[in-house]
Amino acid sequence: MSWLTDFLDQAACQNEHPSLFCGPGSDVGETKEEKEQREAKASAVCRSCPVRPECREYAGTVLRHGEPTGIWYGQGFETREAERKRRLRRAAYQRQQEGQPS
Ligand code: SF4
């Protein structure tokens, strides 16, 4: 494991099956209801996780490299993507306010 993922040693998801966070795979599939129930369970694990802030930063890094799947720090892709775009807009606004090129 790299320094980037050292926090996972303390993660609440370490004892959970990865499919709880990433789904059963396209060959198995799941209904919309099953997906909602699974993601709710995964989010509950995340709420008790002691390294949620570190996970949030890591997930942001992963997303920048194109990983669109799974529950990270209790949030699904759409929510994380919206947060990432808000961060980018905020950073661009701050650069603009400081007179830096965006
Ligand atoms: S916040 Fe959730 S996905 Fe992230 S390390 Fe903790 S349990 Fe795992």
Side-chain angles (χ1 to χ4, degrees):
M1 211 176 288
S2 77
W3 62 269
L4 194 60
T5 54
D6 281 351
F7 72 92
L8 289 172
D9 289 344
Q10 301 164 51
C13 56
Q14 284 299 296
N15 297 321
E16 303 289 342
H17 194 279
S19 65
L20 177 62
F21 293 83
C22 298
S26 59
D27 54 330
V28 177
E30 63 187 342
T31 65
K32 184 174 184 272
E33 185 176 89
E34 288 169 337
K35 182 175 190 266
E36 288 171 357
Q37 290 174 353
R38 176 183 56 74
E39 290 184 346
K41 283 183 193 171
S43 294
V45 173
C46 292
R47 281 194 294 277
S48 71
C49 183
V51 291
R52 198 170 173 187
E54 291 85 349
C55 180
R56 185 178 191 167
E57 289 307 311
Y58 177 72
T61 302
V62 169
L63 276 180
R64 278 195 292 276
H65 291 92
E67 174 57 62
T69 61
I71 297 291
W72 291 86
Y73 60 93
Q75 297 184 345
F77 173 72
E78 291 83 5
T79 305
R80 294 194 316 270
E81 183 67 357
E83 179 180 307
R84 185 182 69 82
K85 287 179 179 174
R86 271 195 309 277
R87 283 181 172 193
L88 288 173
R89 282 195 299 272
R90 193 177 311 129
Y93 176 77
Q94 286 175 344
R95 283 195 300 274
Q96 186 182 39
Q97 293 301 305
E98 293 166 2
Q100 298 175 9
S102 49

